[in-house]
């Protein structure tokens, strides 16, 4: 059974700092891995999608890497800003079938202090 | 309107009520999903529809009944719920082709409180 773990559960950093969020999964047979952001009481916003054949994806100040063989992904946020404060969720797609059934971690709650 | 829209955003109901959550996607996607998010637990996949056909039901109690009348609309009918069913219910959609899972796009969620 696929399990997704995110470390740390919570993180507080001063504005401007570069930071790394970690995600690990137990079964390497995945289609893709997706990073999301969730603001309090809101839905999920997709940040980056990495297909299983890819090693990394970049969008602005965000860079996500994938090491499928070791079951790990990292989300790197450069020059953090108070507006980056949110919960960051990692999810892997379960292999097989015609639809994208994501298995989620419990998230990392990020607070960027001004 | 674009993206994935969920209504109502907030719902309070008694255990004997019947209510429905609605989801509409304007992205032209072919798959839709219901997820449940409870406090301090990972999001749980409840139902998956592909081309209006239910392809997954993750052991969800029968008091939750999904309906997908077309590829743009998804409903979750609620009946005789329990207080522990209080949660944020999230709808999502994706464009999937065989063997290639697409990116998921989520709505803002419906916050359900069962008294």
């Amino acid at each position: 059974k696929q399990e997704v773990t995110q470390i740390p559960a919570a993180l507080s950093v001063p504005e401007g700092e570069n930071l790394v969020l970690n995600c690990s999964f137990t079964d390497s047979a995945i289609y893709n891995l997706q990073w999301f952001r969730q603001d309090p009481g809101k839905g999920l916003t997709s940040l980056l999608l990495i297909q299983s054949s890819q090693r990394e994806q970049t969008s602005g100040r965000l860079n996500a890497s994938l090491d499928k063989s070791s079951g790990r992904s990292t989300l790197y946020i450069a020059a953090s800003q108070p507006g980056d404060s949110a919960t960051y969720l990692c999810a892997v797609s379960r292999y097989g079938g015609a639809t994208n059934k994501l298995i989620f971690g419990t998230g990392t709650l990020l607070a960027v202090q001004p | 309107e674009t993206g994935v829209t969920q209504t109502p955003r907030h719902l309070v109901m008694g255990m004997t009520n019947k209510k429905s959550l609605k989801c509409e996607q304007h992205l032209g996607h072919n798959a839709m999903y219901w997820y449940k998010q409870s406090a301090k637990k990972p999001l749980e996949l409840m139902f998956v529809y592909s081309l209006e056909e239910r392809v997954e039901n993750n052991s969800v109690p029968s008091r939750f009944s999904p309906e997908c009348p077309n590829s743009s609309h998804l409903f979750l009918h609620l009946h005789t719920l329990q207080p522990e069913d209080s949660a944020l219910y999230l709808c999502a959609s994706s464009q999937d082709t065989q063997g290639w899972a697409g990116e998921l796009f989520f709505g803002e969620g419906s916050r359900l409180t069962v008294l």
Side-chain angles (χ1 to χ4, degrees):
Chain A
K1 178 188 174 186
Q2 177 74 273
E3 292 185 3
V4 181
T5 304
Q6 291 187 248
I7 294 173
L11 181 63
S12 181
V13 300
E15 182 177 3
E17 193 163 297
N18 301 326
L19 58 100
V20 175
L21 306 180
N22 297 293
C23 172
S24 62
F25 46 96
T26 55
D27 187 345
S28 62
I30 63 170
Y31 267 143
N32 57 46
L33 183 145
Q34 214 168 333
W35 282 94
F36 294 90
R37 168 191 173 133
Q38 185 174 31
D39 293 293
K42 302 280 190 168
L44 277 65
T45 301
S46 178
L47 297 173
L48 289 164
L49 169 72
I50 310 177
Q51 299 292 354
S52 60
S53 58
Q54 297 175 322
R55 298 283 294 183
E56 66 177 330
Q57 282 287 341
T58 298
S59 176
R61 294 183 293 109
L62 305 179
N63 176 276
S65 67
L66 174 63
D67 185 343
K68 204 172 69 163
S69 60
S70 67
R72 292 181 183 177
S73 175
T74 60
L75 179 67
Y76 175 83
I77 303 177
S80 58
Q81 303 170 357
D84 295 329
S85 299
T87 297
Y88 289 81
L89 295 162
C90 162
V92 298
S93 63
R94 204 174 70 203
Y95 194 82
T99 54
N100 191 4
K101 307 177 188 73
L102 291 180
I103 309 298
F104 281 84
T106 50
T108 294
L109 177 61
L110 173 65
V112 180
Q113 308 299 331
Chain B
E1 193 166 355
T2 59
V4 181
T5 305
Q6 290 188 242
T7 55
R9 293 292 313 280
H10 300 274
L11 178 63
V12 179
M13 59 186 289
M15 289 190 285
T16 58
N17 292 157
K18 285 185 181 181
K19 297 286 184 183
S20 296
L21 306 180
K22 178 182 175 182
C23 176
E24 185 173 0
Q25 60 98 358
H26 306 271
L27 300 169
H29 288 168
N30 60 8
M32 296 187 76
Y33 312 74
W34 280 116
Y35 279 86
K36 175 184 178 182
Q37 187 175 35
S38 304
K40 299 185 179 180
K41 292 177 66 176
L43 272 81
E44 303 170 63
L45 179 63
M46 300 176 71
F47 300 104
V48 182
Y49 277 83
S50 177
L51 298 173
E52 302 148 47
E53 179 182 345
R54 190 192 308 182
V55 297
E56 180 129 349
N57 174 355
N58 267 4
S59 302
V60 179
S62 59
R63 56 186 184 270
F64 294 93
S65 174
E67 178 189 2
C68 188
N70 55 61
S71 60
S72 299
H73 294 86
L74 184 65
F75 295 88
L76 188 62
H77 303 300
L78 315 170
H79 178 49
T80 59
L81 296 190
Q82 304 298 310
E84 59 265 27
D85 296 323
S86 298
L88 182 67
Y89 289 85
L90 291 161
C91 174
S93 69
S94 65
Q95 181 62 31
D96 300 319
T97 56
Q98 190 168 2
W100 198 250
E103 184 176 2
L104 243 66
F105 292 86
F106 281 82
E108 289 290 297
S110 293
R111 171 69 63 184
L112 173 67
T113 302
V114 182
L115 301 177

